[in-house]
Structure formats: structure tokens, C-alpha cells
């Protein structure tokens, strides 16, 4: 059944969510404290968590595993990977997956794509988060687009409590390295990972080259691919969304694919969808 939206065509009334503005401003502000809390170990923690939460949690977990089901892993491992994605502070799994499935179902549609590039760079990059539209942010509405996850009690729990999971993460970082680890491992990491991820919604629909001539504006952007562990090969992905490998040419580096390939070698990843030559 095709995905339907009850949203009026070309809605013009948007309401700024000041709570979201305050939240994003606070995290960005705390990230700016990084120079005063610098240590090499804190920088290392930030880089490691950017990879763990970004490549494994978001790119491999939320995106290729949950949204597109481009491979399968045992349920216990799927839960672990999804929990890692939840720690990225990019929303719960049902919210994230539902939004991305809508993006693919209605790519660049002005109203039906949550982060449509037709609304401009800044809308698709971050403004859609602070001008939340009910059909994309109301659980009772968006849950319909991820019914497979919504049937799982653990995923419903993660979807409700993703913010609370930042508390044990913060306490662990503080215990390991004090405020330096907290600033770098939570706030600076969150800001850098947010903007890395958001570039896929914004920059890769505006700049880059195309291996496939599609009806949408998706592009392959090499520097975005580096920042997002392979997600920047976005034209490839839109052409074959269920394929586990985003980098298709030999020089299109896809770090997340390396992780999937490792899981496959270990016998943990099954039914891996590969590109058809």
C-alpha cells in the first residue's frame, strides 16, 4: 500500500519549537568549551565515539540494518547495535527509521519528505528539526511507517527513553576522565556527528557527481562520504537503497561496509544484499 500523507500541499505555516532551539543551542554552546578541556585522551574518546555511534550505530544500525534491512544479524546483536545508535542522540529508532523511509518513498517532495532538499539547504540540514511537523514528529503518526520496529517492546522503550540513556553515558565518561571526557565524548561528539549526518540530507542533494540518472537530486560527494563512513555515496544509495554496500566503484571508500563485511566473515551477518553487476 503506498504511503499516504494528510499534509496540505505546500504548507506555509511553520511553528518554531523553542524547546528544540534551546536544546540544540545548549549542546552547541557546551561543545564550544572544548578548547578549555582539551586532552589527547579526550580527543581520542571523541573520535572513537564518533565512529562507534556514527558508523556502527547510525549508518550500519539505524540506516542499513533497520531502515533498509540490507542484511540480517542475530536479534541480540541487532539490539546491541540499535542501542548504540540510540546513544548517538539522533532520536529513537522508530522515529529515525520512519523518517528515513518517508524520505525514500517521497524523495524531495516539498511536503512528504521530512527533510526535503526542495526547501533549501538549511531546511534539509537542520531547520526541519526546530520547525517540527506533526506528521513526522508525532509518535502516533510516524509509527505507521516503521510497524516492524513498533511491534517490538524494546524498540518502543528505546524510542521513548533515548534522552535518558545519555545520563549513564555521561556518568561513565565522567568516571573515566572527568569533565574533559564529558565535553569531548558527549557534547563535541554530538555536534560533529549531527552535522556529519545532516550533510547527507543537505549537501549530497546539492553537490557531487552521479553514477545513476535518477528523478531526484541525490549526488555522490566524496568528502561527505569520508565524514559519514560511506553514506556520502548518496546517489548510489538512492539508486539501490536496499544494497548493503554504498561505495560501488573501487575508490568509493565505504567504512561502514567494512564493518558489515567483517560481521559477514564472522558469520554474524546473513542475507547481505549486494549490488547486481
Amino acid at each position: 500500500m503506498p504511503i499516504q500523507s494528510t499534509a496540505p500541499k505546500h504548507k506555509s505555516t511553520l511553528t518554531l519549537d523553542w524547546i528544540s532551539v534551546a536544546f540544540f543551542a545548549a549542546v552547541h554552546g557546551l561543545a564550544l568549551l572544548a578548547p578549555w578541556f582539551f586532552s589527547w585522551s579526550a580527543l581520542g574518546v571523541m573520535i572513537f565515539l564518533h565512529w562507534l555511534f556514527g558508523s556502527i550505530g547510525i549508518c550500519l544500525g539505524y540506516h542499513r540494518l533497520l531502515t533498509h534491512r540490507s542484511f540480517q544479524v542475530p536479534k541480540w546483536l541487532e539490539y546491541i547495535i540499535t542501542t548504540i545508535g540510540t546513544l548517538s542522540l539522533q532520536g529513537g529508532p522508530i522515529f529515525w527509521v520512519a523518517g528515513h523511509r518517508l524520505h525514500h518513498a517521497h524523495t524531495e517532495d516539498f511536503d512528504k519528505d521530512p527533510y526535503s532538499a526542495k526547501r533549501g539547504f538549511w531546511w534539509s540540514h537542520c531547520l526541519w528539526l526546530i520547525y517540527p511537523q506533526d506528521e513526522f514528529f508525532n509518535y502516533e503518526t510516524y509509527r505507521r511507517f516503521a510497524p516492524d520496529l513498533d511491534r517490538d517492546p524494546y524498540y518502543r522503550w528505546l524510542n521513548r527513553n533515548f534522552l535518558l540513556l545519555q545520563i549513564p553515558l555521561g556518568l561513565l565518561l565522567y568516571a573515566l576522565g572527568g569533565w574533559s571526557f564529558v565535553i569531548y565524548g558527549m557534547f563535541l561528539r554530538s555536534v560533529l556527528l549531527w552535522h556529519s549526518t545532516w550533510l547527507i540530507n543537505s549537501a549530497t542533494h546539492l553537490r557531487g557527481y552521479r553514477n545513476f540518472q535518477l528523478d531526484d537530486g541525490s549526488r555522490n560527494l566524496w568528502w561527505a562520504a569520508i565524514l559519514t563512513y560511506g553514506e556520502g555515496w548518496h546517489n548510489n544509495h538512492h539508486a539501490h537503497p536496499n544494497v548493503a554496500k554504498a561505495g560501488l566503484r573501487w575508490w568509493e571508500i565505504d567504512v561502514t561496509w567494512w564493518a558489515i563485511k567483517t560481521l559477514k566473515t564472522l558469520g554474524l551477518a546473513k542475507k547481505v544484499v549486494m549490488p547486481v553487476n
Side-chain angles (χ1 to χ4, degrees):
M1 187 176 71
I3 295 175
Q4 301 290 331
S5 171
T6 58
K9 191 65 178 175
H10 291 2
K11 309 185 288 293
S12 58
T13 302
L14 294 170
T15 302
L16 187 65
D17 184 349
W18 286 104
I19 294 177
S20 296
V21 171
F23 171 75
F24 286 113
V27 176
H28 279 75
L30 289 166
L32 292 174
L33 296 174
W36 289 273
F37 289 87
F38 175 80
S39 71
W40 289 108
S41 56
L43 180 63
V45 165
M46 189 274 291
I47 294 172
F48 172 73
L49 292 182
H50 189 284
W51 166 78
L52 180 65
F53 296 165
S55 182
I56 303 303
I58 294 297
C59 304
L60 186 151
Y62 272 21
H63 189 205
R64 303 189 201 187
L65 177 60
L66 296 184
T67 302
H68 297 294
R69 296 296 181 184
S70 59
F71 63 99
Q72 295 180 5
V73 296
K75 201 65 178 181
W76 62 266
L77 182 56
E78 181 178 306
Y79 283 163
I80 291 172
I81 293 170
T82 303
T83 304
I84 292 171
T86 304
L87 289 169
S88 71
L89 201 57
Q90 295 193 19
I94 301 172
F95 164 78
W96 201 102
V97 169
H100 196 69
R101 286 178 179 173
L102 281 167
H103 169 68
H104 276 274
H106 305 290
T107 306
E108 296 179 355
D109 182 275
F110 194 87
D111 293 320
K112 296 177 183 179
D113 182 346
Y115 24 88
S116 173
K118 291 289 177 63
R119 289 177 178 251
F121 175 89
W122 287 109
W123 175 266
S124 56
H125 192 73
C126 60
L127 290 181
W128 70 280
L129 291 164
I130 61 174
Y131 287 95
Q133 299 171 84
D134 192 64
E135 60 268 33
F136 307 133
F137 284 81
N138 185 298
Y139 168 72
E140 296 301 328
T141 302
Y142 69 67
R143 62 187 285 192
R144 296 184 292 121
F145 306 111
D148 51 331
L149 302 187
D150 193 51
R151 286 191 292 267
D152 191 309
Y154 184 60
Y155 289 150
R156 292 198 302 271
W157 185 87
L158 286 178
N159 205 67
R160 291 192 305 269
N161 298 292
F162 74 95
L163 275 175
L164 292 179
L165 291 182
Q166 296 300 307
I167 297 174
L169 174 62
L171 292 174
L172 176 62
L173 289 170
Y174 184 80
L176 292 174
W179 287 112
S180 178
F181 275 31
V182 174
I183 296 297
Y184 276 78
M186 290 191 68
F187 300 111
L188 184 60
R189 182 268 309 164
S190 292
V191 168
L192 294 178
L193 186 54
W194 282 342
H195 287 281
S196 299
T197 305
W198 298 344
L199 283 169
I200 305 305
N201 302 334
S202 55
T204 61
H205 279 265
L206 295 173
R207 297 286 185 271
Y209 66 90
R210 294 159 67 88
N211 287 333
F212 303 93
Q213 295 304 313
L214 305 176
D215 292 335
D216 60 60
S218 59
R219 300 286 193 273
N220 292 325
L221 192 57
W222 68 269
W223 54 265
I226 292 173
L227 292 173
T228 58
Y229 308 99
E231 300 294 86
W233 311 120
H234 204 51
N235 176 249
N236 296 347
H237 174 61
H238 269 265
H240 303 287
N242 296 326
V243 168
K245 186 179 182 181
L248 301 182
R249 296 184 177 181
W250 68 266
W251 46 267
E252 292 175 344
I253 296 173
D254 184 355
V255 174
T256 299
W257 163 246
W258 298 348
I260 297 171
K261 190 175 181 180
T262 299
L263 291 175
K264 183 180 179 182
T265 301
L266 294 173
L268 291 172
K270 307 286 187 179
K271 297 183 178 180
V272 180
V273 181
M274 296 297 293
V276 178
N277 294 326

